[in-house]
Amino acid sequence: MATQRTLSLIKPDGLEKGIVGKIIARFEERGLKPVAVKLVRLTQAQAEGFYAVHRARPFFPSLVQFMTSGPILAMVLEGDDAVAKNREIMGATDPAKAAAGTIRKDFATDVEKNTVHGSDSPENAAIEIAYFFGQLELHPYDWKKK
Ligand code: CMP
């Protein structure tokens, strides 16, 4: 399976609960390495831009309000099959429907305050990574190089 990169966000509820380390540990335990990390406080326009695909959904205003309510941790995760693996580790969008042992099952509050975001395809991963990170932050890594 090819090495991929995907965007991961730890949402304001994750920072509020103080579980950033626990969440990153779950990614690392499954072979996903953070290769770029930053703490961001999104403006309303930035949150609306990121979730533009959901603009017409009834939950959009509340989602934007939530995503701007506190800092988020944006990460690029790298590893084999990173897009699908990240989504497996996160669990279903609605924590009530998420499988046992997933981040959302164990930590999320509800379908909105669901602790983490992950890109849903390699194509969207490229778009979402570029939304948060610039070229200079995304240099390639050779983990075996001394
Ligand atoms: P995320 O994976 O970041 O993608 C879109 C987000 O919208 C989702 O996680 C939730 O935070 C939120 N969301 C999705 N569905 C609903 C819903 N039915 N009600 C409220 N928020 C939702």
Side-chain angles (χ1 to χ4, degrees):
M1 183 51 77
T3 300
Q4 287 179 337
R5 288 182 169 187
T6 190
L7 184 83
S8 169
L9 302 179
I10 303 181
K11 299 185 180 186
D13 62 313
L15 275 85
E16 175 82 31
K17 289 171 183 163
I19 52 173
V20 165
K22 286 183 181 168
I23 291 171
I24 294 177
R26 290 187 179 210
F27 295 136
E28 291 182 323
E29 282 158 9
R30 298 285 305 278
L32 296 183
K33 294 180 188 292
V35 296
V37 180
K38 69 168 77 163
L39 194 80
V40 185
R41 181 77 189 255
L42 291 175
T43 64
Q44 183 173 331
Q46 288 167 340
E48 286 173 353
F50 183 72
Y51 280 121
V53 65
H54 297 302
R55 194 173 286 276
R57 307 290 286 274
F59 59 78
F60 183 73
S62 174
L63 174 62
V64 169
Q65 191 175 37
F66 164 56
M67 290 300 288
T68 57
S69 67
I72 63 172
L73 195 85
M75 284 181 284
V76 178
L77 299 176
E78 181 178 280
D80 284 350
D81 204 14
V83 172
K85 197 182 279 183
N86 180 32
R87 294 180 69 75
E88 200 183 299
I89 297 166
M90 290 193 301
T93 304
D94 182 350
K97 296 177 186 151
T102 60
I103 291 170
R104 285 167 170 163
K105 181 69 177 183
D106 291 345
F107 300 121
T109 300
D110 56 37
V111 71
E112 176 180 84
K113 295 173 183 59
N114 62 357
T115 313
V116 279
H117 167 84
S119 309
D120 64 3
S121 67
E123 295 73 26
N124 282 337
I127 294 166
E128 293 183 355
I129 287 169
Y131 198 83
F132 280 93
F133 295 94
Q135 277 297 319
L136 288 174
E137 297 168 292
L138 295 169
H139 47 88
Y141 287 82
D142 180 351
W143 298 102
K144 297 200 174 97
K145 198 170 165 193
K146 291 268 177 341

PDB file of all heavy atoms in Angstrom, residues 9-18 20 38-43 65-74 115 132:
ATOM      1  N   LEU A   9      -7.604  17.192  11.907  1.00  0.00           N
ATOM      2  CA  LEU A   9      -7.836  18.319  12.820  1.00  0.00           C
ATOM      3  C   LEU A   9      -8.304  17.775  14.152  1.00  0.00           C
ATOM      4  O   LEU A   9      -9.206  16.920  14.185  1.00  0.00           O
ATOM      5  CB  LEU A   9      -8.925  19.259  12.285  1.00  0.00           C
ATOM      6  CG  LEU A   9      -8.730  19.906  10.921  1.00  0.00           C
ATOM      7  CD1 LEU A   9      -9.952  20.781  10.580  1.00  0.00           C
ATOM      8  CD2 LEU A   9      -7.453  20.734  10.873  1.00  0.00           C
ATOM      9  N   ILE A  10      -7.702  18.258  15.236  1.00  0.00           N
ATOM     10  CA  ILE A  10      -8.291  18.028  16.558  1.00  0.00           C
ATOM     11  C   ILE A  10      -9.104  19.278  16.852  1.00  0.00           C
ATOM     12  O   ILE A  10      -8.587  20.403  16.853  1.00  0.00           O
ATOM     13  CB  ILE A  10      -7.226  17.763  17.640  1.00  0.00           C
ATOM     14  CG1 ILE A  10      -6.349  16.564  17.229  1.00  0.00           C
ATOM     15  CG2 ILE A  10      -7.906  17.498  18.989  1.00  0.00           C
ATOM     16  CD1 ILE A  10      -5.276  16.192  18.250  1.00  0.00           C
ATOM     17  N   LYS A  11     -10.403  19.099  17.026  1.00  0.00           N
ATOM     18  CA  LYS A  11     -11.360  20.210  17.106  1.00  0.00           C
ATOM     19  C   LYS A  11     -11.346  20.850  18.508  1.00  0.00           C
ATOM     20  O   LYS A  11     -10.756  20.296  19.443  1.00  0.00           O
ATOM     21  CB  LYS A  11     -12.751  19.680  16.745  1.00  0.00           C
ATOM     22  CG  LYS A  11     -12.801  19.107  15.317  1.00  0.00           C
ATOM     23  CD  LYS A  11     -14.218  18.705  14.930  1.00  0.00           C
ATOM     24  CE  LYS A  11     -14.235  18.144  13.518  1.00  0.00           C
ATOM     25  NZ  LYS A  11     -15.616  17.885  13.050  1.00  0.00           N
ATOM     26  N   PRO A  12     -12.023  22.002  18.656  1.00  0.00           N
ATOM     27  CA  PRO A  12     -11.984  22.705  19.957  1.00  0.00           C
ATOM     28  C   PRO A  12     -12.375  21.839  21.154  1.00  0.00           C
ATOM     29  O   PRO A  12     -11.810  22.001  22.248  1.00  0.00           O
ATOM     30  CB  PRO A  12     -12.983  23.854  19.751  1.00  0.00           C
ATOM     31  CG  PRO A  12     -12.908  24.149  18.286  1.00  0.00           C
ATOM     32  CD  PRO A  12     -12.735  22.793  17.633  1.00  0.00           C
ATOM     33  N   ASP A  13     -13.297  20.883  20.971  1.00  0.00           N
ATOM     34  CA  ASP A  13     -13.677  20.042  22.123  1.00  0.00           C
ATOM     35  C   ASP A  13     -12.513  19.156  22.559  1.00  0.00           C
ATOM     36  O   ASP A  13     -12.352  18.877  23.747  1.00  0.00           O
ATOM     37  CB  ASP A  13     -14.937  19.211  21.830  1.00  0.00           C
ATOM     38  CG  ASP A  13     -14.765  18.233  20.677  1.00  0.00           C
ATOM     39  OD1 ASP A  13     -14.235  18.642  19.620  1.00  0.00           O
ATOM     40  OD2 ASP A  13     -15.158  17.056  20.816  1.00  0.00           O
ATOM     41  N   GLY A  14     -11.677  18.746  21.599  1.00  0.00           N
ATOM     42  CA  GLY A  14     -10.517  17.913  21.927  1.00  0.00           C
ATOM     43  C   GLY A  14      -9.489  18.680  22.736  1.00  0.00           C
ATOM     44  O   GLY A  14      -8.906  18.154  23.686  1.00  0.00           O
ATOM     45  N   LEU A  15      -9.271  19.938  22.369  1.00  0.00           N
ATOM     46  CA  LEU A  15      -8.316  20.765  23.129  1.00  0.00           C
ATOM     47  C   LEU A  15      -8.878  21.100  24.502  1.00  0.00           C
ATOM     48  O   LEU A  15      -8.170  21.074  25.511  1.00  0.00           O
ATOM     49  CB  LEU A  15      -7.945  22.019  22.339  1.00  0.00           C
ATOM     50  CG  LEU A  15      -6.801  21.729  21.355  1.00  0.00           C
ATOM     51  CD1 LEU A  15      -7.305  21.161  20.061  1.00  0.00           C
ATOM     52  CD2 LEU A  15      -5.932  22.922  21.144  1.00  0.00           C
ATOM     53  N   GLU A  16     -10.192  21.409  24.525  1.00  0.00           N
ATOM     54  CA  GLU A  16     -10.877  21.733  25.785  1.00  0.00           C
ATOM     55  C   GLU A  16     -10.760  20.564  26.777  1.00  0.00           C
ATOM     56  O   GLU A  16     -10.527  20.759  27.962  1.00  0.00           O
ATOM     57  CB  GLU A  16     -12.356  22.028  25.467  1.00  0.00           C
ATOM     58  CG  GLU A  16     -13.245  22.277  26.650  1.00  0.00           C
ATOM     59  CD  GLU A  16     -13.150  23.706  27.166  1.00  0.00           C
ATOM     60  OE1 GLU A  16     -12.905  24.597  26.351  1.00  0.00           O
ATOM     61  OE2 GLU A  16     -13.312  23.891  28.375  1.00  0.00           O
ATOM     62  N   LYS A  17     -10.909  19.346  26.272  1.00  0.00           N
ATOM     63  CA  LYS A  17     -10.863  18.154  27.136  1.00  0.00           C
ATOM     64  C   LYS A  17      -9.436  17.741  27.514  1.00  0.00           C
ATOM     65  O   LYS A  17      -9.250  16.845  28.345  1.00  0.00           O
ATOM     66  CB  LYS A  17     -11.563  16.974  26.438  1.00  0.00           C
ATOM     67  CG  LYS A  17     -13.076  17.120  26.355  1.00  0.00           C
ATOM     68  CD  LYS A  17     -13.695  16.038  25.474  1.00  0.00           C
ATOM     69  CE  LYS A  17     -15.212  16.258  25.345  1.00  0.00           C
ATOM     70  NZ  LYS A  17     -15.807  15.519  24.229  1.00  0.00           N
ATOM     71  N   GLY A  18      -8.436  18.351  26.865  1.00  0.00           N
ATOM     72  CA  GLY A  18      -7.039  18.033  27.198  1.00  0.00           C
ATOM     73  C   GLY A  18      -6.627  16.635  26.767  1.00  0.00           C
ATOM     74  O   GLY A  18      -5.921  15.937  27.508  1.00  0.00           O
ATOM     75  N   VAL A  20      -5.232  15.953  23.562  1.00  0.00           N
ATOM     76  CA  VAL A  20      -4.406  16.032  22.347  1.00  0.00           C
ATOM     77  C   VAL A  20      -3.386  14.883  22.315  1.00  0.00           C
ATOM     78  O   VAL A  20      -3.221  14.195  21.303  1.00  0.00           O
ATOM     79  CB  VAL A  20      -3.689  17.406  22.277  1.00  0.00           C
ATOM     80  CG1 VAL A  20      -2.564  17.391  21.263  1.00  0.00           C
ATOM     81  CG2 VAL A  20      -4.694  18.501  21.936  1.00  0.00           C
ATOM     82  N   LYS A  38       0.287  22.310  13.614  1.00  0.00           N
ATOM     83  CA  LYS A  38       0.175  23.702  14.097  1.00  0.00           C
ATOM     84  C   LYS A  38      -1.148  23.934  14.842  1.00  0.00           C
ATOM     85  O   LYS A  38      -2.160  23.304  14.548  1.00  0.00           O
ATOM     86  CB  LYS A  38       0.328  24.710  12.965  1.00  0.00           C
ATOM     87  CG  LYS A  38      -0.779  24.750  11.964  1.00  0.00           C
ATOM     88  CD  LYS A  38      -0.662  25.974  11.056  1.00  0.00           C
ATOM     89  CE  LYS A  38       0.390  25.804   9.995  1.00  0.00           C
ATOM     90  NZ  LYS A  38       0.244  26.770   8.877  1.00  0.00           N
ATOM     91  N   LEU A  39      -1.049  24.812  15.813  1.00  0.00           N
ATOM     92  CA  LEU A  39      -2.234  25.223  16.561  1.00  0.00           C
ATOM     93  C   LEU A  39      -2.810  26.453  15.860  1.00  0.00           C
ATOM     94  O   LEU A  39      -2.077  27.396  15.571  1.00  0.00           O
ATOM     95  CB  LEU A  39      -1.826  25.584  17.985  1.00  0.00           C
ATOM     96  CG  LEU A  39      -2.964  25.722  18.987  1.00  0.00           C
ATOM     97  CD1 LEU A  39      -3.407  24.348  19.470  1.00  0.00           C
ATOM     98  CD2 LEU A  39      -2.525  26.552  20.185  1.00  0.00           C
ATOM     99  N   VAL A  40      -4.108  26.412  15.567  1.00  0.00           N
ATOM    100  CA  VAL A  40      -4.740  27.476  14.788  1.00  0.00           C
ATOM    101  C   VAL A  40      -6.030  27.907  15.469  1.00  0.00           C
ATOM    102  O   VAL A  40      -6.763  27.078  16.006  1.00  0.00           O
ATOM    103  CB  VAL A  40      -5.126  26.952  13.374  1.00  0.00           C
ATOM    104  CG1 VAL A  40      -5.668  28.071  12.505  1.00  0.00           C
ATOM    105  CG2 VAL A  40      -3.955  26.283  12.687  1.00  0.00           C
ATOM    106  N   ARG A  41      -6.288  29.226  15.452  1.00  0.00           N
ATOM    107  CA  ARG A  41      -7.616  29.707  15.853  1.00  0.00           C
ATOM    108  C   ARG A  41      -8.278  30.249  14.587  1.00  0.00           C
ATOM    109  O   ARG A  41      -7.880  31.298  14.074  1.00  0.00           O
ATOM    110  CB  ARG A  41      -7.477  30.812  16.915  1.00  0.00           C
ATOM    111  CG  ARG A  41      -8.796  31.386  17.426  1.00  0.00           C
ATOM    112  CD  ARG A  41      -9.458  30.445  18.419  1.00  0.00           C
ATOM    113  NE  ARG A  41     -10.791  30.875  18.759  1.00  0.00           N
ATOM    114  CZ  ARG A  41     -11.138  31.450  19.906  1.00  0.00           C
ATOM    115  NH1 ARG A  41     -10.240  31.674  20.834  1.00  0.00           N
ATOM    116  NH2 ARG A  41     -12.391  31.781  20.141  1.00  0.00           N
ATOM    117  N   LEU A  42      -9.229  29.509  14.051  1.00  0.00           N
ATOM    118  CA  LEU A  42      -9.840  29.878  12.774  1.00  0.00           C
ATOM    119  C   LEU A  42     -10.725  31.111  12.926  1.00  0.00           C
ATOM    120  O   LEU A  42     -11.452  31.248  13.920  1.00  0.00           O
ATOM    121  CB  LEU A  42     -10.711  28.736  12.235  1.00  0.00           C
ATOM    122  CG  LEU A  42     -10.007  27.454  11.760  1.00  0.00           C
ATOM    123  CD1 LEU A  42     -11.057  26.412  11.374  1.00  0.00           C
ATOM    124  CD2 LEU A  42      -9.075  27.731  10.594  1.00  0.00           C
ATOM    125  N   THR A  43     -10.692  31.979  11.909  1.00  0.00           N
ATOM    126  CA  THR A  43     -11.685  33.052  11.830  1.00  0.00           C
ATOM    127  C   THR A  43     -12.971  32.454  11.250  1.00  0.00           C
ATOM    128  O   THR A  43     -12.967  31.336  10.704  1.00  0.00           O
ATOM    129  CB  THR A  43     -11.211  34.175  10.894  1.00  0.00           C
ATOM    130  OG1 THR A  43     -11.105  33.631   9.561  1.00  0.00           O
ATOM    131  CG2 THR A  43      -9.866  34.746  11.329  1.00  0.00           C
ATOM    132  N   GLN A  65     -19.630  28.098  14.074  1.00  0.00           N
ATOM    133  CA  GLN A  65     -19.519  28.691  15.415  1.00  0.00           C
ATOM    134  C   GLN A  65     -18.660  27.801  16.324  1.00  0.00           C
ATOM    135  O   GLN A  65     -17.765  28.278  17.026  1.00  0.00           O
ATOM    136  CB  GLN A  65     -20.913  28.865  16.004  1.00  0.00           C
ATOM    137  CG  GLN A  65     -20.930  29.699  17.268  1.00  0.00           C
ATOM    138  CD  GLN A  65     -22.353  29.946  17.739  1.00  0.00           C
ATOM    139  OE1 GLN A  65     -23.201  29.063  17.630  1.00  0.00           O
ATOM    140  NE2 GLN A  65     -22.619  31.130  18.246  1.00  0.00           N
ATOM    141  N   PHE A  66     -18.932  26.503  16.265  1.00  0.00           N
ATOM    142  CA  PHE A  66     -18.151  25.553  17.075  1.00  0.00           C
ATOM    143  C   PHE A  66     -16.679  25.558  16.685  1.00  0.00           C
ATOM    144  O   PHE A  66     -15.787  25.628  17.546  1.00  0.00           O
ATOM    145  CB  PHE A  66     -18.752  24.145  16.932  1.00  0.00           C
ATOM    146  CG  PHE A  66     -17.843  23.037  17.390  1.00  0.00           C
ATOM    147  CD1 PHE A  66     -17.327  23.022  18.681  1.00  0.00           C
ATOM    148  CD2 PHE A  66     -17.505  22.000  16.532  1.00  0.00           C
ATOM    149  CE1 PHE A  66     -16.480  21.997  19.113  1.00  0.00           C
ATOM    150  CE2 PHE A  66     -16.662  20.987  16.953  1.00  0.00           C
ATOM    151  CZ  PHE A  66     -16.150  20.984  18.239  1.00  0.00           C
ATOM    152  N   MET A  67     -16.402  25.523  15.379  1.00  0.00           N
ATOM    153  CA  MET A  67     -15.001  25.413  14.920  1.00  0.00           C
ATOM    154  C   MET A  67     -14.200  26.691  15.171  1.00  0.00           C
ATOM    155  O   MET A  67     -12.973  26.664  15.088  1.00  0.00           O
ATOM    156  CB  MET A  67     -14.957  25.021  13.439  1.00  0.00           C
ATOM    157  CG  MET A  67     -15.396  23.587  13.166  1.00  0.00           C
ATOM    158  SD  MET A  67     -14.372  22.326  13.994  1.00  0.00           S
ATOM    159  CE  MET A  67     -12.855  22.436  13.028  1.00  0.00           C
ATOM    160  N   THR A  68     -14.905  27.795  15.451  1.00  0.00           N
ATOM    161  CA  THR A  68     -14.208  29.042  15.781  1.00  0.00           C
ATOM    162  C   THR A  68     -14.251  29.341  17.283  1.00  0.00           C
ATOM    163  O   THR A  68     -13.792  30.396  17.721  1.00  0.00           O
ATOM    164  CB  THR A  68     -14.819  30.240  15.016  1.00  0.00           C
ATOM    165  OG1 THR A  68     -16.209  30.316  15.329  1.00  0.00           O
ATOM    166  CG2 THR A  68     -14.653  30.091  13.518  1.00  0.00           C
ATOM    167  N   SER A  69     -14.801  28.407  18.064  1.00  0.00           N
ATOM    168  CA  SER A  69     -15.018  28.673  19.494  1.00  0.00           C
ATOM    169  C   SER A  69     -13.736  28.528  20.319  1.00  0.00           C
ATOM    170  O   SER A  69     -13.707  28.895  21.495  1.00  0.00           O
ATOM    171  CB  SER A  69     -16.093  27.722  20.035  1.00  0.00           C
ATOM    172  OG  SER A  69     -15.613  26.378  20.027  1.00  0.00           O
ATOM    173  N   GLY A  70     -12.688  27.987  19.714  1.00  0.00           N
ATOM    174  CA  GLY A  70     -11.429  27.791  20.429  1.00  0.00           C
ATOM    175  C   GLY A  70     -10.382  27.319  19.456  1.00  0.00           C
ATOM    176  O   GLY A  70     -10.676  27.111  18.272  1.00  0.00           O
ATOM    177  N   PRO A  71      -9.152  27.138  19.934  1.00  0.00           N
ATOM    178  CA  PRO A  71      -8.101  26.680  19.030  1.00  0.00           C
ATOM    179  C   PRO A  71      -8.322  25.248  18.551  1.00  0.00           C
ATOM    180  O   PRO A  71      -8.980  24.453  19.238  1.00  0.00           O
ATOM    181  CB  PRO A  71      -6.831  26.783  19.885  1.00  0.00           C
ATOM    182  CG  PRO A  71      -7.293  26.793  21.289  1.00  0.00           C
ATOM    183  CD  PRO A  71      -8.679  27.355  21.305  1.00  0.00           C
ATOM    184  N   ILE A  72      -7.760  24.956  17.390  1.00  0.00           N
ATOM    185  CA  ILE A  72      -7.747  23.585  16.879  1.00  0.00           C
ATOM    186  C   ILE A  72      -6.291  23.199  16.609  1.00  0.00           C
ATOM    187  O   ILE A  72      -5.446  24.071  16.443  1.00  0.00           O
ATOM    188  CB  ILE A  72      -8.591  23.431  15.593  1.00  0.00           C
ATOM    189  CG1 ILE A  72      -8.012  24.279  14.450  1.00  0.00           C
ATOM    190  CG2 ILE A  72     -10.045  23.804  15.852  1.00  0.00           C
ATOM    191  CD1 ILE A  72      -8.682  24.012  13.112  1.00  0.00           C
ATOM    192  N   LEU A  73      -6.026  21.905  16.574  1.00  0.00           N
ATOM    193  CA  LEU A  73      -4.688  21.444  16.207  1.00  0.00           C
ATOM    194  C   LEU A  73      -4.778  20.816  14.818  1.00  0.00           C
ATOM    195  O   LEU A  73      -5.491  19.828  14.626  1.00  0.00           O
ATOM    196  CB  LEU A  73      -4.157  20.417  17.213  1.00  0.00           C
ATOM    197  CG  LEU A  73      -2.655  20.188  17.067  1.00  0.00           C
ATOM    198  CD1 LEU A  73      -1.876  21.246  17.858  1.00  0.00           C
ATOM    199  CD2 LEU A  73      -2.238  18.804  17.543  1.00  0.00           C
ATOM    200  N   ALA A  74      -4.079  21.424  13.864  1.00  0.00           N
ATOM    201  CA  ALA A  74      -4.059  20.902  12.492  1.00  0.00           C
ATOM    202  C   ALA A  74      -2.795  20.088  12.300  1.00  0.00           C
ATOM    203  O   ALA A  74      -1.712  20.514  12.709  1.00  0.00           O
ATOM    204  CB  ALA A  74      -4.103  22.054  11.497  1.00  0.00           C
ATOM    205  N   THR A 115     -14.739  15.856  17.944  1.00  0.00           N
ATOM    206  CA  THR A 115     -13.327  15.765  18.382  1.00  0.00           C
ATOM    207  C   THR A 115     -12.267  15.811  17.277  1.00  0.00           C
ATOM    208  O   THR A 115     -11.220  16.417  17.474  1.00  0.00           O
ATOM    209  CB  THR A 115     -13.103  14.509  19.273  1.00  0.00           C
ATOM    210  OG1 THR A 115     -14.133  14.466  20.242  1.00  0.00           O
ATOM    211  CG2 THR A 115     -11.772  14.529  19.973  1.00  0.00           C
ATOM    212  N   PHE A 132      -4.258  24.447   5.081  1.00  0.00           N
ATOM    213  CA  PHE A 132      -3.641  24.728   6.389  1.00  0.00           C
ATOM    214  C   PHE A 132      -2.127  24.891   6.354  1.00  0.00           C
ATOM    215  O   PHE A 132      -1.556  25.527   7.232  1.00  0.00           O
ATOM    216  CB  PHE A 132      -3.987  23.608   7.393  1.00  0.00           C
ATOM    217  CG  PHE A 132      -5.352  23.761   7.987  1.00  0.00           C
ATOM    218  CD1 PHE A 132      -6.450  23.135   7.408  1.00  0.00           C
ATOM    219  CD2 PHE A 132      -5.561  24.553   9.105  1.00  0.00           C
ATOM    220  CE1 PHE A 132      -7.727  23.290   7.946  1.00  0.00           C
ATOM    221  CE2 PHE A 132      -6.821  24.722   9.652  1.00  0.00           C
ATOM    222  CZ  PHE A 132      -7.911  24.079   9.064  1.00  0.00           C
TER     223      PHE A 132
END
